[in-house]
């Protein structure tokens, strides 16, 4: 069985880890590889290499740095199917979902190719007589990304291309549950022939995260994962003087007003709830109907019927398994809890029969109605294929319910009223808003936003926020007097 390695200083090296853990295919439990749970020595080696690499990289002109990204785009496109297959094997997504995530990753590479313009500074002539003032952006130094399991390829690309284009060197720490995808991508990036130490990858889990947060040469950390760990990373990293952006968990509500187009709404909502088996930070989770709800309820139940669950490389499969057996147990316990709180199961996906994949962590699409608004199911991030349906009388009460929640990643509304949509956009406390959209995922030019417990920090991933995150501003005030030129 292959033992995964670290990529440090331009080459693959063994980890200092003393224990390795199986990387499993969630549809079959087949062991795909062994991932080392690295330690501080691995981070030390990577940070040393990255510190040295930074010196050469920061003085490489930005127009030259982005040439590597143009090549990276082609490399990712040429290997799209192969990368997507790896994503399916280790994360359980369908092949189409895996390809879609890599297309989002490539969009970020393309956007970061605009860094020569995005990184430009500002200049004011004559802030006082004969004195000019200007601001330039310079890289931070060594930066690192700590990624979650649910987008093994895409999430690192919310940060990596911008970090490199801005002149930083980089350390990637993939999720230990899905380390194969970024290992494959870094293997491809080896062909780019970046200066040594500019790109590094360290395999591992908590010990590696702590070592990254504590290392004095690592200046910026981008984290994506669950809220409790995001808060931990933000607090600890900040205490160690680092710049941190930490995206956390989510519980995304969707309001359906009585004037929404029923067929379109239920189709979009179903895709949002069950895409990636509900393991998306932008998955719709609680569907809030306002007023009349019989028709939309029936339509949602009807749309779920016949949705095929199975192994993501089998052609007609629409939904894969959840990531681990523990995750499956957790999600099914939450469904049980919803029932014990008084919820009614309209569609029960517990322990589905998925022929040929009896060992897989499958849960079928589930719809549960009338759960209490302050109950466990209505307030906890489920991260599985469960649609909770609640009925509320007015849009004001619905918005109030949304704003009472802990998270603020995404909130959506379906309506044909521009006035109500505008009210919702103005009042809903969430960083990403969808209006007749089920997955309000910002494209690469916009920040991947997030409020409340869904984000700790100031600057988000993607777009101009990423350029700001990966640079520090230097302001120069400059005076040249005539008399100093006497000699010439
Ligand atoms: P996770 O928090 O368990 O793990 C994320 C990363 O943190 C991993 O690399 C892991 O090794 C590390 N980690 C885990 N526990 C740690 C600890 N105690 N101390 C230090 N490091 C630790 O998250 P996950 O289960 O991999 O991913 C799912 C979560 O990520 C969900 O909550 C989802 O909503 C969230 N997510 C959020 C966004 C967003 O943009 N807001 C995007 C994707 C996923």
């Amino acid at each position: 069985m292959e033992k995964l390695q670290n990529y440090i200083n331009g080459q693959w090296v063994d980890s200092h880890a003393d224990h390795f853990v199986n990387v499993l295919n969630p549809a079959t439990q087949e062991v795909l590889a062994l991932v080392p749970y690295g330690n501080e020595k691995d981070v030390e080696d990577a940070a040393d290499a990255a510190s040295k690499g930074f010196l050469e990289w920061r003085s490489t002109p930005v127009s030259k740095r982005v040439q590597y990204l143009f090549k990276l785009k082609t490399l990712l496109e040429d290997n799209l199917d192969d990368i997507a297959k790896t994503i399916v094997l280790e994360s359980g997504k369908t092949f189409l979902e895996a390809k879609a995530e890599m297309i989002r990753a490539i969009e970020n590479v393309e956007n970061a190719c605009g860094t020569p313009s995005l990184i430009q500074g500002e200049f004011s002539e004559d802030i006082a007589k004969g004195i000019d003032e200007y601001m330039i952006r310079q890289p931070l130094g060594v930066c690192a990304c700590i990624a979650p399991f649910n987008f093994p390829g895409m999430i690192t690309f919310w940060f990596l291309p911008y970090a490199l284009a801005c002149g930083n060197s980089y350390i990637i720490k993939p999720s230990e549950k899905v380390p194969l995808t970024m290992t494959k991508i870094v293997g491809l990036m080896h062909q780019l022939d970046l200066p040594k130490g500019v790109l590094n990858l360290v395999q591992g889990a908590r010990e590696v995260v702590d070592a990254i947060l504590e290392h004095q040469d690592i200046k910026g950390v981008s984290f994506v994962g669950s809220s409790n760990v995001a808060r931990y990373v933000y607090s600890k990293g900040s205490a160690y003087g680092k710049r941190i952006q930490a995206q956390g968990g989510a519980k995304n509500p969707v309001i359906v007003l009585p004037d929404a187009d029923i067929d379109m709404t239920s189709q979009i909502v179903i895709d949002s709830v069950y895409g990636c088996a509900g393991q998306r930070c932008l998955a719709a989770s609680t569907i809030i109907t306002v007023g009349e709800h019989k028709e939309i309820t029936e339509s949602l139940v009807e749309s779920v019927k016949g949705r095929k669950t199975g192994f993501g490389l089998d052609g007609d499969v629409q939904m894969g398994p959840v990531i681990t057996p523990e995750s499956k147990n957790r999600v099914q316990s939450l469904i049980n809890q919803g029932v014990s709180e008084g919820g009614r199961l309209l569609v029960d996906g517990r322990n589905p029969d998925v022929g040929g994949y009896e060992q897989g962590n499958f849960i079928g699409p589930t719809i549960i109605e009338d759960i209490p608004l302050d109950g466990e199911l209505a307030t906890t991030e489920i991260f599985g294929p469960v649609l909770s349906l609640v009925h509320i009388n007015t849009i004001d009460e619905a918005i109030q319910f949304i704003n009472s929640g802990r998270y603020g990643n995404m909130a959506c509304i379906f309506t044909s009223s521009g006035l109500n949509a505008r009210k919702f956009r103005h009042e809903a406390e969430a960083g990403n808003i969808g209006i007749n959209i089920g997955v309000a995922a910002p494209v690469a030019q916009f920040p991947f936003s997030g409020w409340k417990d869904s984000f700790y920090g100031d600057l988000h991933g993607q777009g101009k926020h990423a350029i700001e995150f990966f640079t520090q501003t230097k302001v120069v005030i400059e005076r040249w007097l005539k008399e100093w030129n006497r000699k010439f």
Side-chain angles (χ1 to χ4, degrees), residues 135-176:
M135 183 273 283
I136 53 179
R137 292 191 171 279
Q138 296 192 330
L140 300 183
V142 181
C143 294
C145 166
I146 300 162
F149 79 81
N150 65 325
F151 284 94
M154 176 187 73
I155 282 179
T156 301
F157 282 85
W158 290 350
F159 315 107
L160 170 72
Y162 304 98
L164 294 184
C166 289
N168 302 277
S169 54
Y170 214 63
I171 302 173
I172 300 166
K173 204 297 279 174
S175 163
E176 65 280 15

Side-chain angles (χ1 to χ4, degrees), residues 274 300-301 304 344-347 365-369 387 389:
Y274 301 114
L300 288 170
V301 171
V304 163
R344 271 177 298 124
L345 274 171
L346 304 183
V347 182
T366 297
I367 300 184
I368 183 164
E369 186 181 38
L387 185 161
L389 197 52

Side-chain angles (χ1 to χ4, degrees), residues 173-213:
K173 204 297 279 174
S175 163
E176 65 280 15
K177 294 186 185 121
V178 293
L180 295 172
T181 303
M182 282 315 300
T183 302
K184 181 178 280 283
I185 290 173
V186 168
L188 291 169
M189 287 180 77
H190 181 74
Q191 298 171 30
L192 297 176
D193 212 14
L194 282 158
K196 286 196 180 3
V198 169
L199 179 71
N200 306 274
L201 178 147
V202 177
Q203 311 278 9
R206 181 175 182 156
E207 230 180 304
V208 171
V209 172
D210 279 330
I212 287 173
L213 296 174

Side-chain angles (χ1 to χ4, degrees), residues 269-295:
V269 165
I270 292 297
D271 286 344
S272 174
V273 174
Y274 301 114
C276 302
Q279 299 174 115
R280 281 193 289 198
C281 65
L282 295 180
S285 178
T286 312
I287 310 305
I288 307 158
T289 63
V290 172
E292 157 56 35
H293 53 81
K294 187 167 175 287
E295 234 189 308

